[in-house]
Amino acid sequence: MGPTVWSDVRPLAGYWRIPWNHSVFKRCPYIDDCIGYDITMKYFEQMNSTNDGCVLGTEGILCSQCSPGFNRDVAVCMECSPESLPIRVAIVVVALILLYLIMSCCRNRLKKQWRTYRPLYRDVLRIGSIIVTFSQINTSMPTIIDVSWPPEFVKFLANFNVVNIDLFSLVGVSCVGNFDFYIGFLAMSCLPVCIFLWAMFDLWIARKHMVVRVEHMQEQEKLIQEAEALHMLYHITDTDGGGSIEPKELSILLIQLGWQATTSQSYEIMQHFHDDGTKTWSNETGQLVLTEDEFVESMIGNKMNTLLEKFDVLRVGATRDKKTGEIIHTKASSKETMLCDRDHLIKWVLSKRIMAHSLAGATMLALLAHTPVSRKVFQFFHCNNLAGQNFLIADYSIKCWELGWWAFTPVVFTVMGIFTVGLPGAISYFLYKKRKRLYTADIQQKVGWLYEPFRKGAEVCLLLLVVCWCCLLVL
């Protein structure tokens, strides 16, 4: 027999011998890709050690990479066919179009016929978002938590890799070239940018449709929309949620509507609001306030305009000549305001609704994309030491702590700062800054969907969930 050396020792099936240190064997990320001695088979059936190594279609460190002309489907590298890439791209595009059409159809039906099911629709979206997020975390477990996972469990989780929104894996781009972790990271980093561009496009289209809709509205519908707009303006102006408008709040409203109304002028307007003798004060405690009905009636009629002219309230940007007393108008002051034009009022309020809707949709998509993008960020720092050499676990063709790795670090830190940390940080700052006004109409319209499922006082729960998801990714 002679002496035995380390080169005579064979790796077990599912393990890979380190070429630069024959005494070290490492478990392969895909067990079936590494050929070795199988303890379940008889010795004489596997005496030829030259077969040890990677199965056909795999190569590289730990047999983790597919050979040229092969693409990893779930956990197995399959040989590419000429038509595989076009078919995959077509399937992804058709699936996205169908998803968009289904969502659009549901939203339109909810607006017109299924109003009763709106809460159910929102709950289904939230449940779906939670399922997708935890599926993303589960698929990361075998690569992040370094334990000997059962092969069948790893294969099972690989079936859900679609939730990671990795388009390169979905369409099988490795069939046409070598796309390493760096290119995949850049592609994934474009996902938040695409969400932003989609939100801007959706906002632009919605505004165009809104303008056309207002222009073709019937008179009766305009009256209804005007009343709704005024009621909405009332609630937006009532910043403290007290159910009435005070002089300071009226001043803010009039300034937004294009009038240079100071708090003292607003006080005088409200003081003389009932000169017709209907009542002296607007409530029993002697405070000057406007109720919702009084506000809407004064806006629809000429009462507010009459009071503004009486107390010499000028348009924003206009001045009065000291010698002649003549009002000098500028481009800003000559512009139509909502008080003067009903269509302008309707368009302004509908624009706020459209903006809130687009913001909610973009933020929801961004939160959904937060986990897979953050997963890529954390994977960049997750390396495996193989007999003194560090390799990126997500792509064993890349060595950690070397020049190429360090050169890519600024890109990773940029994405981490702007998206991974910036998105929940910006939402946290907004909620903290507006914490006393979270249940006013203006704030609820913008971000109310974020904390609607939670009890009052527990609005930050969603952000705590996002932080917990990130912690699970970096265990």
Side-chain angles (χ1 to χ4, degrees), residues 402-414:
E402 293 198 350
L403 182 61
W405 187 90
W406 283 109
F408 198 74
T409 303
V411 178
V412 177
F413 276 109
T414 300

Side-chain angles (χ1 to χ4, degrees), residues 17 210 465:
R17 184 198 300 275
M210 179 267 294
L465 285 174

Side-chain angles (χ1 to χ4, degrees), residues 185 188-189 192-193 366-367 369-381 411-428 462-463 465-474:
F185 185 93
M188 184 63 74
S189 301
V193 178
L367 288 172
H370 186 267
T371 301
V373 173
S374 300
R375 176 174 178 260
K376 281 284 188 183
V377 170
F378 298 136
Q379 281 180 336
F380 181 76
F381 301 99
V411 178
V412 177
F413 276 109
T414 300
V415 176
M416 178 188 290
I418 294 177
F419 192 68
T420 302
V421 178
L423 178 63
I427 296 175
S428 300
L462 177 65
L463 295 172
L465 285 174
V466 173
V467 174
C468 290
W469 296 335
C470 288
C471 291
L472 289 172
L473 285 175
V474 297

Side-chain angles (χ1 to χ4, degrees), residues 30-48:
Y30 301 99
I31 301 298
D32 295 336
D33 289 351
C34 295
I35 302 173
Y37 185 82
D38 192 346
I39 59 176
T40 62
M41 297 175 61
K42 295 180 180 180
Y43 173 74
F44 65 84
E45 294 177 351
Q46 47 183 336
M47 294 178 61
N48 187 3

